[in-house]
Amino acid sequence: MPISARHAIIACADGLAAVGAGLSVARDGAPHEPVLASAPEAEEMGELQFTLGQGPSMDAVAGRSPVLVPDLTRLDAQRRWPLFAAAAADRGVRGMFSFPVAAGAALIGVLDVYRLRAGPLAPHELANGLAFADAVLVLVLNDNDGIAATPDGMIAAIVSERRAEVHQATGMVAAQLGVSMTDALAALRAHAYAHSRRLSDLATDVLARRVRLGPGSAPPPAPPPPAPPPPAGGDLRHDGNGSPEPGQRRGEED
Amino acid sequence: MITDSRVRETFIELTDTLVKDFDVIDYLERLADRCTELLGVSACGILLVDHHGVLNLVGASTEQTRLLELSQLQNAEGPSLDAYHTGQPVQCADLADASEHWPRFAAAARAAGFASVQALPMRLREEQLGAVSLFSAEPGLLDADTIALGQALSDAATIGIVHQRALLAKEVVTEQLQTALNSRILIEQAKGFLAERFTVSVEDAFGMMRRYARDHQRKLTDVAADITAGRLGPGLGLADPPRSSGG
């Protein structure tokens, strides 16, 4: 069965003993709307941050680093996010952990994990939270490219996505296509998928200038098509609609 | 010959991590350069472990080392991995004797012109964070004093990454580590972008970025962020005369 980002978020909430977990997509560096939640509590908290315009999510995106808040009722948290911390406490949420869903400048959004009890994440929970954020990055890019994920494919994708040559090739593709790093990474992955190649092998060829993703593989710049029906098990809305950037759909050919 | 005053200068330079415009990747690149100079080795690479338990190269004195380190990571063998796993320095006086222990790494390192290698663990209290590897074109072991100096430089790298000398919570260390790893990704993306736009090698692209950051007294990571966001590049202040718009 294909895995979707929704599965990863539910598993993340479960694995981190959380009341819920949620994904918000970012545009222009600021968290935009919450798009996925494992539970009503997580959905409400996501909306709350979005409405108030403050919270650990925003800071995680701005600093491109996890923001780990063991206790939202502590003074440092209340000072940092006065409105959000108070509202969270009213709803009984004590711990909150925000992980950027990103690779360098390629930014999808932020994965938020909410707990009812105060206290830090255990080391293995912290490592799992970071790993879930990586999984969500791959799954969202997959969803947007119509790539079905299998467990084995996921693991390979997460590992290869972190190689230096993939990052360098992403930068080259961004320059070739004139798109954002997020769209360039999506284009590179779609090209690898369409040609049944390993991402790192394709990246090596791009760096050696043996493969070039030409304008033919770039999407038409505008207007974006109406939102397609969501793939089974996912309801992601991160598809470039309303975005100033061209949303990369599918890498056709070099 | 390396003088005591040069060592002292280096440590003063490397302990200056609490300044406002501190940039972790720039710091680690400088550290790699200083290790090469002060320890009398040919090249130096700095690796950090991520949450998947995978070592990532975050600083290197030459692009050649970078490539070598990558092969080391991909093959899941090599002195840095051993130093990281054991928490102990690893010394290999002659890579010609290492073909059983690290068959692929030893071959790649010799092909790159190196004859010996040493790796030093990077740790914070009980936790292993990564390793520093030192490559030499000549065979032979580094002497005990040089290893001790190398370990002190490696400890300085750890301090640079965690950025604070006070006792740190696990959360803070994780946040700092993630920042360092993500900065590295950002810089790799920016290198690729410039390499394409200027039709140069990724190494030359990196040189352009470092020069620009130095000339304009900006953080390397900020420069990379501007490049990847399309705010800085050909016609936008980099290499070309500054213009108000373009791109």
Side-chain angles (χ1 to χ4, degrees):
Chain A
M1 185 183 71
I3 309 167
S4 74
R6 170 174 291 282
H7 293 125
I9 283 162
I10 293 168
C12 176
D14 203 38
L16 271 62
V19 66
L23 172 70
S24 296
V25 296
R27 280 289 170 195
D28 298 327
H32 239 222
E33 57 187 318
V35 291
L36 275 181
S38 73
E41 290 87 346
E43 192 174 347
E44 192 185 2
M45 293 292 285
E47 292 290 345
L48 198 59
Q49 283 195 97
F50 180 51
T51 311
L52 297 174
Q54 63 175 230
S57 284
M58 277 71 171
D59 292 8
V61 168
R64 290 288 206 283
S65 165
V67 175
L68 309 168
V69 191
D71 191 350
L72 281 163
T73 65
R74 253 175 28 189
L75 197 59
D76 52 350
Q78 290 183 346
R79 281 207 181 121
R80 202 163 159 189
W81 311 286
L83 299 174
F84 175 76
D90 284 349
R91 288 160 179 78
V93 172
R94 290 289 296 278
M96 177 167 171
F97 309 93
S98 298
F99 303 96
V101 178
L107 175 72
I108 293 289
V110 57
L111 172 65
D112 291 322
V113 177
Y114 307 97
R115 299 215 291 200
L116 296 180
R117 64 179 170 79
L121 293 174
H124 71 278
E125 291 176 326
L126 185 52
N128 286 342
L130 293 163
F132 276 118
D134 285 344
V136 170
L137 174 69
V138 169
L139 291 167
V140 171
L141 291 172
N142 280 355
D143 270 4
N144 291 349
D145 285 320
I147 301 172
T150 59
D152 284 352
M154 273 287 303
I155 291 164
I158 289 173
V159 171
S160 72
E161 216 108 318
R162 301 186 67 79
R163 294 208 175 143
E165 65 265 31
V166 172
H167 308 315
Q168 292 171 0
T170 300
M172 288 186 77
V173 169
Q176 286 168 6
L177 300 182
V179 298
S180 71
M181 289 295 159
T182 314
D183 291 340
L185 178 57
L188 198 63
R189 299 184 74 254
H191 187 100
Y193 182 76
H195 293 78
S196 306
R197 302 200 60 197
R198 282 171 45 182
L199 185 59
S200 53
D201 292 343
L202 173 62
T204 303
D205 279 354
V206 169
L207 287 173
R209 298 183 160 95
R210 286 189 293 266
V211 171
R212 186 184 170 84
L213 271 65
S217 59
D235 59 358
L236 288 170
R237 280 173 273 158
H238 175 78
D239 56 9
N241 284 351
S243 155
E245 304 158 350
Q248 182 66 42
R249 303 302 307 166
R250 217 166 288 258
E252 309 292 2
E253 195 27 78
D254 16 318
Chain B
M1 209 53 237
I2 301 305
T3 62
D4 283 352
S5 69
R6 186 72 188 110
V7 173
R8 209 157 41 234
E9 274 171 40
T10 299
F11 274 95
I12 290 167
E13 179 188 351
L14 292 177
T15 47
D16 196 17
T17 61
L18 295 176
V19 292
K20 185 161 59 63
D21 61 348
F22 176 77
D23 184 275
V24 67
I25 298 299
D26 192 41
Y27 176 86
L28 293 172
E29 293 284 341
R30 267 190 293 144
L31 184 72
D33 287 343
R34 294 297 173 273
C35 278
T36 310
E37 173 196 354
L38 294 179
L39 306 179
V41 295
S42 310
C44 170
I46 301 171
L47 298 107
L48 275 187
V49 72
D50 67 16
H51 50 286
H52 300 292
V54 175
L55 287 168
N56 293 262
L57 190 75
V58 290
S61 61
T62 67
E63 195 73 22
Q64 186 186 39
T65 327
R66 212 179 293 282
L67 297 174
L68 181 58
E69 294 283 358
L70 287 173
S71 95
Q72 174 179 348
L73 301 182
Q74 284 163 18
N75 295 315
E77 66 177 39
S80 294
L81 284 173
D82 290 357
Y84 167 69
H85 284 304
T86 62
Q88 298 297 322
V90 171
Q91 303 209 40
C92 172
D94 193 342
L95 281 161
D97 301 332
S99 50
E100 264 184 45
H101 192 40
W102 308 308
R104 280 177 286 189
F105 170 78
R110 294 179 69 197
F114 298 120
S116 64
V117 62
Q118 343 280 319
L120 305 168
M122 285 174 68
R123 57 194 174 222
L124 183 68
R125 298 190 291 273
E126 301 308 305
E127 194 177 354
Q128 302 295 331
L129 296 184
V132 174
S133 51
L134 307 165
F135 298 90
S136 300
E138 306 294 327
L141 295 175
L142 299 179
D143 63 41
D145 284 351
T146 307
I147 290 286
L149 178 57
Q151 189 64 56
L153 288 166
S154 158
D155 292 344
T158 308
I159 290 166
I161 292 155
V162 301
H163 198 168
Q164 286 172 34
R165 269 151 285 190
L167 284 179
L168 287 170
K170 170 84 184 164
E171 288 85 20
V172 180
V173 175
T174 299
E175 288 172 14
Q176 304 279 9
L177 265 177
Q178 290 297 315
T179 304
L181 291 167
N182 198 63
S183 294
R184 188 77 245 174
I185 296 175
L186 192 65
I187 286 165
E188 299 301 336
Q189 290 170 342
K191 278 159 63 175
F193 187 89
L194 289 187
E196 174 67 20
R197 294 300 296 268
F198 287 109
T199 323
V200 295
S201 68
V202 285
E203 184 166 15
D204 289 345
F206 191 41
M208 290 170 66
M209 277 169 60
R210 289 185 82 179
R211 262 195 311 281
Y212 181 89
R214 248 198 316 270
D215 291 350
H216 294 78
Q217 300 189 334
R218 297 194 55 200
K219 291 163 65 171
L220 193 57
T221 305
D222 289 346
V223 170
D226 278 359
I227 290 166
T228 54
R231 291 188 295 265
L232 180 66
L236 286 173
L238 199 66
D240 289 339
R243 266 183 274 162
S244 57
S245 65

